[in-house]
Amino acid sequence: MKETELTEKESELISAIRNYRNSYPNGHPELLWYAQQILMN
């Protein structure tokens, strides 16, 4: 499998989504907001 290189923003988005998923079932709204902000920018 070929490895791809991620930009800093892509890596940050993946981290934010993973952190949000790990917070389940409590799901901190701030983590969701943060992931959405990264995605919109």
Side-chain angles (χ1 to χ4, degrees):
M1 179 183 267
K2 184 179 177 183
E3 299 241 351
T4 59
E5 292 192 24
L6 300 175
T7 66
E8 184 179 336
K9 283 291 185 184
E10 290 169 333
S11 179
E12 187 176 354
L13 176 60
I14 290 170
S15 262
I17 292 170
R18 285 181 179 158
N19 287 337
Y20 177 72
R21 289 184 54 138
N22 288 337
S23 71
Y24 183 83
N26 297 329
H28 297 281
E30 295 86 14
L31 293 173
L32 178 60
W33 177 84
Y34 180 64
Q36 289 174 334
Q37 292 302 313
I38 295 171
L39 187 59
M40 290 188 337
N41 291 332

